[in-house]
Structure formats: structure tokens, C-alpha cells
Amino acid sequence: MRGFTSADGHGSGWRDGRLHGGGGNGCIGHACTVTATTEPRQQMQAGDSRGKRRIVARIVMKFGGTSMAGTERIRRVAQIVRKQQAGGNEVAVVVSAMAGETDRLVNFAREAHALYDPAEYDVVVASGEQVTAGLLAMTLQSLGTPARSWLGWQMPIRTLEAHAKARVGTIDADRLIASMESGAVAVIPGFQGLSDDGRITTMGRGGSDTSAVAVAAAIGADRCDIYTDVDGVYTTDPRIVAKARKLKAVTYEEMLELASVGAKVLQTRSVSLAMKAGVRVQVLSSFTDESAVSADDLPGTLIVSDTEMDALAKEHDMERQLVTGIAHDKNEAKIILTRVPDRPGSVAEIFEPLAGASINVDMIIQNVGRDKGETDVTFTVPQADLARAQALLEDRREAIGFGRVITDSNIAKISVVGVGMKSHAGVASTMFKSLADRGINIQAITTSEIKVSVLIDEDETELAVRILHTAYGLDAES
Ligand code: ASP
Ligand code: MG
């Protein structure tokens, strides 16, 4: 079996330089041998060594739940797929379950057994995608487009680790590619794979995005188009800022930060996989009419490497912005531990039990101990984990020897994200000053190379996002 590649043995090597790699290990969590360049592939001329058809490109198209919700919408999807294939492309389609279906199935599992067996949970929830894959293949056939479905276990898409949150391991794409080359559209249910011991697995909620990127890597696709109910990635939430602009392109790094701080367009894992494997991703809307711009003309938002981003900026004569987007996240809660002994080991004792309970701690602040060798420690956890975290800490209060646990879930995290800040100073101070000018108090700060995040009162979220959107010059001209 091969890893994320099919370049070798594939004939004329038209993807030379695009995606080589593999070994049997796949990519995620291993030393990744997949490398890629991102220059656009040259168009193939008819009559090359591969003969037969004029291949324009190899494209993966992924459709989310709202696009697949019902036979009427599936017919629309089939038409979009058919058009893409009719241009001479080799096409693989990855589909989600119908909107709401996975929730429904999860509820059944919960009703059957509060402590359900994750392996059986996967059997149940993977079924939603099986239905839409079969329906789409049929619908394509009804339009005269050859198509067949490839279930996770049929390719197979091998996964690693736990049921219900499996990670993609290796994909054996040989038969899939042969089928696509013969002119059939390959329809693949997202979300599902096959475990080492031959059982069906699923990849965590939103996992179809990751399936699509993994398939794109495995077949050396030129592009992975993610069709969804929004038409791209915006500078911020357009429901908050009417002047939010759709971005032509963002880098993988930026998208990772935006996805993980609450701008949920793609499953975060799919973005890190795309970055590792060098898959060019486009986010675009499936709700378009006949006159819509072709996906090949890139109407959505491209997610690409920094190098390609530079090239795109040059090509379109755009200046790269210092700040690309502003995200907000209201799903965190703040915990303050007072009078923590200021000695080696006490912070470790606080965070060990949280890690043990798989509670993700985000921002952490420890004040400098002033007197009596005591200090306050402030941090944030997902709101859903707040009660558990609080209980775990109360249990250890005596052992660790701190004063009180104070919690607050009325907070929001606001983040400004942009690769530009790697090389430019002043992004953080602009943020602090703009918020201060409007009387917004900052409770905590964290930074990374391309992100500055602050914690503020939740009630001020919308105001803060608007202020910052203007401050960084992101408002669209009206
Ligand atoms: N159907 C699954 C979910 O709702 C996977 C996906 O759509 O990405 O999470
Ligand atoms: Mg999704």
C-alpha cells in the first residue's frame, strides 16, 4: 500500500514536482515525506503520452451537509460535479451526511447506551455519509455521468487511533485513480475510514473536510474545492461587521489560527493536513446559479502556502496586509486560582489533573509573586469543561495549597491574525490602544508569531471586533 501519493507508477508524471512521497506511513503524526510545490499545473495537451483524454486537472470536490440536504439539493450538486468533469477533469467527490443527520444519529447512540462503545458509535454515525454517497452516485448516473461510490473500507482509507476521533493514516488510491482515469466520477463518503483491525471508524465532527484533503493528497489533486454554505473566508464574521471582506487567499498558518479561534469554516485538522501535504484548498459556495463563475476561476478563498500567497499577491498586484482577519470565540471560560504557593512544582500540580482529564487549557498567566511567596494563576478552558475543571481543582485545593477558585464564563477571546506581523512591529500595540480608546478592558493576553489574542468581557465582543476591523484597515470600501 502506498502513502499519500500516487505519483510513481502513474504514467507520464504530469504531476512531477507536485506531490511525491509516501512510504507506507502516511503523513499525520509521522515524519512526513510528502512534499509538494504549488505552481499551477500546466494544461495537458491532447495526444500526450497518456493518450486518450485531454486532462485539464485532477480535482477533489467536497460538499457539506447543507449542500447534500435532500434529493433536490443533491441534484444541484450533481450538476456542479458534472460540469467540472465535463471540462475534461478527473473528479473525486467527498460528501457529508445530510444536514442534521449526524446529530440525529449521535442522539440515537446516546439513547441506546449512555456509555456507548465508540466502535459501535462509528458503525451508526458513519451511515449518514454512506447514504449521501450512494445517492449522489445514482444522481450523477441519472444525468448520464459515469460514477461510483467508494466507501471508506473499500479504498480503503486507513485510520489510526481511537474510534470516533480517528486520524487519517494511509490511503490506497490505486483503484480509485484507475477508476477516475477511466472517466468515472469517484464519490467518497467523508468522515469514515477503516481501523487496523478492520472496523469502520469516523474522524470526529466535521471530519469530512479532513477526508477530502486526505484524498486530495493521496491522488495528487491539483486542488481540493470545499463547497459549503458560505462563499469563502472573510476578514471577520460578516454578521458582526457588515464591511467584512471576502479574502481571495489566506495562508495555511493563518487559516489554522482563524479556525482554532472560532472562525469555523473548516475542521482544523483538515487545514494542518493540507499544510503538511501541500494541498491547495479552495472554500467556495455550492449555492450558486448557472451563471456563476467556474470553480477553476477561483471565486472562493484559496488556502495556500506562504510562497504561493506571495505569488498571488504579485499577480493580482495586491499589497499583503499586516492583519488578515479578526476572530472571536465566546466558548471559553476563565479560571483564577488565588494565592498559589510560589514554589517549583505548584503550576505543574494545577495543570496535570486537567491534562489527565483531556481538558484543553489555552491562555495561561501567572503573576509575579509579590509577597508571602504567593501568586495568582489565571487561565482559560473550554466553557463545556468548566464544571469538570473546577471540580478537579477544588479536589486538590489542599494538596496544592491555593486560596480560592474563581470562575467567569462571561468572557470572549478576540484574536487578530496575520502572517504580516512576523516581520512588522506594532500590531499588538495598535490592538491595545484601539480597545483602550473605547474603554474596553483587557483581562489577559497571549501572542504567537502570527496572532495576538486578548480576553475581554463577552458583552463587548461585537464592539471590539468592529473597532479592530476598522483599526487594521480591513473595512470594505462601500
Ligand atoms: N457528518 C459529519 C458531521 O456532521 C462529518 C462532516 O460532515 O464533516 O460532523
Ligand atoms: Mg463542516
Side-chain angles (χ1 to χ4, degrees):
M1 187 196 302
R2 300 202 199 124
F4 272 126
T5 179
S6 60
D8 43 357
H10 180 62
S12 64
W14 52 267
R15 269 170 290 116
D16 251 357
R18 282 197 51 79
L19 189 70
H20 293 279
N25 274 338
C27 195
I28 309 167
H30 295 271
C32 179
T33 50
V34 178
T35 55
T37 60
T38 45
E39 72 265 20
R41 197 162 65 70
Q42 282 152 18
Q43 297 218 333
M44 284 292 290
Q45 296 307 314
D48 81 301
S49 56
R50 294 171 78 222
K52 296 166 251 152
R53 294 192 312 132
R54 176 194 153 102
I55 304 299
V56 175
R58 184 174 280 176
I59 305 287
V60 172
M61 307 170 78
K62 184 261 170 180
F63 292 90
T66 37
S67 313
M68 299 301 290
T71 43
E72 214 31 64
R73 293 207 178 150
I74 292 178
R75 188 161 299 273
R76 265 302 294 148
V77 166
Q79 273 150 1
I80 297 173
V81 171
R82 178 186 149 87
K83 209 165 164 189
Q84 184 77 61
Q85 203 236 12
N89 300 304
E90 289 176 2
V91 176
V93 189
V94 175
V95 295
S96 282
M98 294 190 197
E101 179 65 6
T102 308
D103 288 340
R104 198 175 73 96
L105 296 168
V106 169
N107 281 334
F108 282 141
R110 288 198 182 122
E111 280 166 28
H113 191 339
L115 301 173
Y116 53 70
D117 171 4
E120 300 304 344
Y121 164 95
D122 280 348
V123 172
V124 174
V125 299
S127 67
E129 272 75 7
Q130 176 160 336
V131 171
T132 47
L135 288 174
L136 179 59
M138 282 175 200
T139 312
L140 283 163
Q141 290 166 1
S142 81
L143 299 175
T145 301
R148 76 151 276 192
S149 61
W150 295 85
L151 303 184
W153 58 269
Q154 287 169 331
M155 264 196 280
I157 296 178
R158 299 254 174 212
T159 62
L160 311 164
E161 290 174 7
H163 279 281
K165 47 179 183 233
R167 294 182 306 122
V168 184
T170 56
I171 295 182
D172 186 356
D174 291 353
R175 291 196 304 148
L176 190 79
I177 289 168
S179 168
M180 287 166 65
E181 282 174 352
S182 78
V185 172
V187 184
I188 300 153
F191 192 43
Q192 57 172 254
L194 180 68
S195 73
D196 269 349
D197 57 353
R199 303 199 63 181
I200 197 158
T201 55
T202 63
M203 302 173 194
R205 297 308 303 272
S208 295
D209 295 335
T210 302
S211 307
V213 171
V215 168
I219 67 174
D222 296 87
R223 212 174 59 236
C224 180
D225 284 341
I226 310 262
Y227 287 84
T228 174
D229 49 3
V230 294
D231 59 358
V233 178
Y234 279 73
T235 48
T236 196
D237 187 342
R239 286 167 303 185
I240 296 182
V241 181
K243 288 182 171 177
R245 280 186 293 112
K246 192 174 79 191
L247 293 159
K248 277 222 80 53
V250 286
T251 65
Y252 297 121
E253 282 174 292
E254 289 167 329
M255 194 61 209
L256 272 175
E257 294 287 9
L258 290 170
S260 64
V261 290
K264 288 253 173 288
V265 186
L266 297 176
Q267 195 194 35
T268 308
R269 266 189 196 175
S270 70
V271 184
S272 30
L273 178 54
M275 178 157 100
K276 274 188 192 139
V279 174
R280 303 167 75 231
V281 174
Q282 176 176 213
V283 174
L284 71 174
S285 173
S286 64
F287 295 88
T288 54
D289 56 27
E290 292 303 322
S291 64
V293 182
S294 146
D296 297 329
D297 294 328
L298 310 177
T301 300
L302 269 185
I303 304 165
V304 294
S305 67
D306 204 38
T307 323
E308 182 167 1
M309 187 76 175
D310 272 338
L312 282 169
K314 261 198 209 105
E315 191 185 320
H316 297 276
D317 203 20
M318 295 181 314
E319 227 181 290
R320 289 190 63 176
Q321 299 274 1
L322 217 50
V323 167
T324 305
I326 296 163
H328 68 280
D329 183 358
K330 295 180 176 178
N331 293 318
E332 291 203 29
K334 182 176 75 174
I335 298 180
I336 302 172
L337 302 182
T338 66
R339 304 183 52 202
V340 177
D342 195 10
R343 58 166 167 78
S346 57
V347 171
E349 282 167 44
I350 293 169
F351 292 109
E352 248 162 25
L354 301 179
S358 294
I359 296 174
N360 249 328
V361 175
D362 183 28
M363 301 172 128
I364 303 176
I365 298 157
Q366 184 191 327
N367 296 334
V368 179
R370 274 157 310 183
D371 42 21
K372 299 194 217 106
E374 287 172 348
T375 178
D376 288 353
V377 176
T378 305
F379 55 94
T380 61
V381 297
Q383 222 167 79
D385 293 330
L386 178 61
R388 273 197 313 141
Q390 194 172 359
L392 282 168
L393 291 165
E394 290 288 3
D395 278 352
R396 286 168 180 73
R397 187 208 318 240
E398 288 213 339
I400 304 173
F402 57 81
R404 288 202 302 142
V405 187
I406 303 169
T407 66
D408 182 2
S409 43
N410 192 35
I411 52 145
K413 183 170 67 174
I414 313 292
S415 306
V416 302
V417 174
V419 215
M421 58 181 93
K422 270 185 192 173
S423 47
H424 286 85
V427 171
S429 66
T430 300
M431 184 180 202
F432 307 153
K433 173 102 178 46
S434 313
L435 295 175
D437 283 349
R438 301 296 290 270
I440 295 176
N441 188 39
I442 297 172
Q443 304 177 21
I445 303 166
T446 55
T447 63
S448 79
E449 235 188 343
I450 66 162
K451 181 185 75 171
V452 185
S453 303
V454 298
L455 214 59
I456 61 168
D457 193 303
E458 184 174 329
D459 303 337
E460 296 175 321
T461 307
E462 282 74 16
L463 178 62
V465 170
R466 272 189 220 116
I467 291 169
L468 295 172
H469 200 263
T470 306
Y472 291 107
L474 296 174
D475 290 349
E477 288 144 31
S478 46

